[in-house]
Structures are given as C-alpha cells and as structure tokens.
Amino acid sequence: MKTITINLGLHSYDIAIGEGLLPGIGSACKAMGLGSNVAVVTNPTVSTLYSDVVISALKDAGFSPFVIEIQDGEEYKNCSTLQRIYDCLIDAGMDRRSFIIALGGGVVGDIAGFASATFLRGIPFIQIPTTLLAQVDSSVGGKTGIDHPSGKNLIGAFYQPHLVFSDTGTLKTLEKRHYLAGLAEVVKYGVVLDADLFLLLEAEVEGLLKRDSDLLARIIARCCEIKAAVVEEDEKESGLRAVLNYGHTLGHAFETISGYQGMVHGEAVASGMVQAAVLSASEGYCTETDVQRITLLLQSLKLPVTAPQATFDELVNAISKDKKNRSGSIKFVCNQGIGSHSFHYFTPARLAEVCCSGR
Ligand code: NAD
Ligand code: GLY
C-alpha cells in the first residue's frame, strides 16, 4: 500500500492506494476515532460488487453501518437525491460524530461529499473511489457538489474528506468505456504538469489498455501526488488549481452540446485537450509535434480526439456558459510544450473557431 498525505493544516488527510485494501476499511476508520454510526452512500451497480466487504469490515471493527443507495448516473446528482440522503441520515439518528462513506465513482463521491459538508453543518466523510477518474481526480481535493438543471456542479462546497481509500482492484470490474474515460484525466496531468508522466504513458499504452495493476497503482499514486501538490498550494482555486481544468472548458461545452448523452466526461475532456493543444500551438506555446504526440497518445488509448459535430453558433453558445466566463473572456489553460502550462484569456468565438477548424 502507498500512502500520500495531503497537507492542509487541520484538514490534512491521507490517500491510501493499493490492491485489495477494502477489507481494511474498518480498522482504518477505527484508527481515526470516528463515532459508531456510519452511512455508506453508494449506487446499485457498485453496491452489488463491494457493499458486502465494506459493511463486514466496518461491523468487524465495531461500527454500525447502513447503506444508502442512490440511482446510478449523472442525471441523479441533483437536489432530490440529496434530499433523500438527508432524509435517510435523519431517520438513522446520525449525529455530529457519525460519518459518511462515499463508495463509488465521481457522482457518488460528489453528492455524498456535499451531503457531509452540509448535514448538521458538516460531519466527517471518507472517500472510497471505485472508478479510475475518481481515484486520480474527483476523490482528492475536496470539491463536492450537485448539478442544477441549468448547469453541471453549480451548487457545491469545498469540503475535504478525512481519508481517501483507493482499492485499485475495484478497477477490474469497471466498464471499458468508463475505464478509458478515466485515462483522459491521467493524460491531462502529464500534458500540463509532468513531462515524465507523459513519457511513461506513451511507453506503457499496452499495459494501460490491459489494466496492468502494478502500473495502475504507480500511475494513480503519481496523479494523486500531483493533485495533492496543486491543492496544497491553492485549495479553493484562486490561481494554480485552475490548471486542472485543462481540456475541460471545451470538454464541458461538448458535453452540453451532446446533451450529456453522446459523450461521457473523460471522452469530452480528451477531445477538449486536443483542441486546447491546437490553440496552444497556434499561439506559439507548443509545437505541432507536441499536438501530434498528445493526439496520438489519446487515440492509442481509444479516446475521441475530434470535436463533436456542432455549428459555430452552438459552440459559442455552449462555451459562453462556462463558469470561468468574465465579461466575454474566458480564462483558458494552454499547454507550454508538454509538461507545463500557462493561462490566457480568449473569447468564446476564438475558442469555437478552433473547434470548427477541421480537427
Ligand atoms: P460515475 O460515478 O458515473 O461512474 C461511472 C460508472 O461506473 C457508473 O455507472 C458507476 O456505477 C460505475 N462504477 C463505479 N465503480 C465501478 C466499479 N468498480 N465497477 C463497475 N462499475 C463501477 O462517473 P465517474 O467518471 O467516476 O465520475 C464522474 C463525475 O465526477 C461527474 O459528476 C463529474 O462532475 C465528477 N468530477 C468531480 C471532480 C471533483 O473534483 N469533485 C473531478 C472530476 C469529475
Ligand atoms: N477536478 C478539478 C479540481 O479538482 O480542481
């Protein structure tokens, strides 16, 4: 098992990474001195696979766990699901020493984290991420929240977990499409923050496609180290943390245009990263060769590299809704070569033009 500590003063916590960790969750919770009532928030897909082991481990360690199942899918990361979670917490008599465990991917982690941040003005919570995306990104750093009909993640809070417990063995049961989508976020760290990671990914495409467990544990740990360093420097995204949005400004627009049905998040990010690289090259921040390397790596990981079919106006409209839009200008992450980044401001029209330029 590898442990990475994220240093945030009183809100510091460990990220434990390794294969076969789940049976150890009870003793890990015991070591933190948490109260006995624990709600395990999960969904039916993940519950069938992993609830039993988590519940037994918690009972063996003396806790009184119960399961709250929410429906599976981004469309349920909303106010009515949150209300149902609160209802269950109240019915179970949860108090301020009780805690919540999020067992699942980014959807479960975000909503369970937000319930923890707000119930009784905040109770402890633990992330057990079970998708690659959640293990390398969403479970770390304390962004929690739900969607609003007018946009993704519009309601939320920064609220750090007490522990992130990543059992890499859970990735074996993940559907191929979701596994590959998680790889897009891994590539992101390489492109804008770590040239050595990018080289490793280029060299290990076969192992990644085969889900080689040692390789995955190494890569997940590296991504968590990178994310921990970014969050330690800028917990609430007033500067550096925005680098993690590389590929996301256009990716979110592509998701909006596809009505959240054509593309899953990681696929949209992959395609958004290629457009960001094209723009970076046209502004002189990277070379055409860098663009080709990024495109080729994503293609070999079976990820989409072209912008979805959309008109210029549709793109401008979707891009303009970005949370980072300030008076018609959007703070955008460019890659500086491979392994570094810089921030620049572009209009939605300039960004849409890149997407329509034929790649
Ligand atoms: P997800 O949570 O929808 O999981 C994808 C699918 O995999 C679901 O059907 C789920 O039931 C299933 N699944 C999960 N673990 C499994 C396993 N081990 N075996 C088999 N099936 C499994 O999607 P995701 O990609 O994990 O997360 C996407 C969400 O994360 C979005 O809502 C996005 O906004 C959010 N996100 C948050 C942050 C953050 O910093 N908080 C960062 C990135 C993304
Ligand atoms: N996933 C982006 C962030 O955590 O800031």
Side-chain angles (χ1 to χ4, degrees):
M1 179 177 90
K2 168 131 181 142
T3 304
I4 294 157
T5 302
I6 171 157
N7 294 300
L8 292 169
L10 286 176
H11 303 294
S12 300
Y13 55 96
D14 285 344
I15 306 163
I17 301 161
E19 185 161 1
L21 294 189
L22 284 187
I25 186 65
S27 39
C29 293
K30 188 124 194 144
M32 287 188 296
L34 297 164
S36 63
N37 270 355
V38 47
V40 178
V41 179
T42 185
N43 70 31
T45 314
V46 180
S47 187
T48 308
L49 294 162
Y50 303 113
S51 271
D52 283 354
V53 60
V54 169
I55 295 293
S56 305
L58 289 165
K59 282 186 177 159
D60 290 350
F63 292 98
S64 307
F66 67 100
V67 171
I68 302 177
E69 270 189 22
I70 62 172
Q71 282 163 293
D72 188 357
E74 180 74 32
E75 63 272 38
Y76 301 107
K77 198 176 104 176
N78 60 24
C79 233
S80 49
T81 306
L82 184 67
Q83 172 72 44
R84 208 169 61 71
I85 295 175
Y86 293 141
D87 292 346
C88 295
L89 299 176
I90 290 165
D91 286 349
M94 298 276 281
D95 62 26
R96 281 195 165 147
R97 289 198 62 242
S98 312
F99 64 106
I100 290 179
I101 291 181
L103 174 66
V107 168
V108 165
D110 278 11
I111 195 165
F114 189 57
S116 315
T118 46
F119 184 68
L120 303 179
R121 299 203 177 88
I123 61 172
F125 96 108
I126 288 172
Q127 291 267 20
I128 306 185
T130 61
T131 63
L132 181 58
L133 181 140
Q135 293 188 358
V136 298
D137 189 356
S138 63
S139 66
V140 175
K143 278 189 183 174
T144 70
I146 56 169
D147 300 331
H148 184 271
S150 33
K152 245 180 93 103
N153 298 330
L154 288 187
I155 299 151
F158 286 98
Y159 191 70
Q160 301 296 341
H162 273 50
L163 171 71
V164 180
F165 207 66
S166 281
D167 184 336
T168 54
T170 60
L171 302 181
K172 289 183 183 147
T173 54
L174 195 56
E175 235 179 63
K176 186 174 174 193
R177 186 174 187 192
H178 291 296
Y179 172 73
L180 296 175
L183 287 177
E185 300 283 2
V186 174
V187 172
K188 172 190 80 178
Y189 288 113
V191 177
V192 285
L193 287 158
D194 186 346
D196 288 342
L197 174 63
F198 193 88
L199 278 171
L200 176 71
L201 299 175
E202 284 181 315
E204 296 286 0
V205 166
E206 210 177 306
L208 287 169
L209 292 175
K210 280 198 307 213
R211 309 191 196 190
D212 177 289
S213 48
D214 289 344
L215 175 68
L216 274 177
R218 227 170 108 202
I219 285 174
I220 292 165
R222 181 64 197 134
C223 293
C224 289
E225 278 167 1
I226 297 171
K227 183 150 185 187
V230 169
V231 172
E232 282 169 6
E233 189 173 324
D234 177 23
E235 185 183 354
K236 303 224 167 131
E237 200 170 308
S238 47
L240 175 68
R241 187 164 178 170
V243 68
L244 301 174
N245 296 328
Y246 180 71
H248 284 60
T249 303
L250 294 174
H252 282 153
F254 300 160
E255 281 184 272
T256 306
I257 288 167
S258 73
Y260 299 98
Q261 276 160 3
M263 291 179 130
V264 298
H265 180 72
E267 292 169 344
V269 168
S271 163
M273 286 195 286
V274 174
Q275 311 309 317
V278 170
L279 178 57
S280 303
S282 76
E283 297 286 322
Y285 305 133
C286 74
T287 63
E288 272 301 318
T289 310
D290 296 329
V291 180
Q292 280 160 17
R293 282 178 67 195
I294 294 166
T295 309
L296 189 64
L297 177 58
L298 292 167
Q299 263 171 337
S300 28
L301 297 173
K302 322 276 183 221
L303 286 159
V305 293
T306 51
Q309 286 296 324
T311 64
F312 177 81
D313 287 347
E314 280 172 330
L315 283 159
V316 169
N317 194 28
I319 295 166
S320 303
K321 297 216 171 79
D322 192 279
K323 284 203 282 287
K324 297 170 290 303
N325 191 345
R326 300 276 179 281
S327 321
S329 194
I330 291 179
K331 185 176 175 185
F332 193 82
V333 191
C334 287
N335 54 296
Q336 286 287 150
I338 286 179
S340 191
H341 61 274
S342 51
F343 297 107
H344 303 276
Y345 287 85
F346 296 106
T347 60
R350 173 78 177 101
L351 297 173
E353 196 181 278
V354 175
C355 302
C356 292
S357 70
R359 302 222 196 194

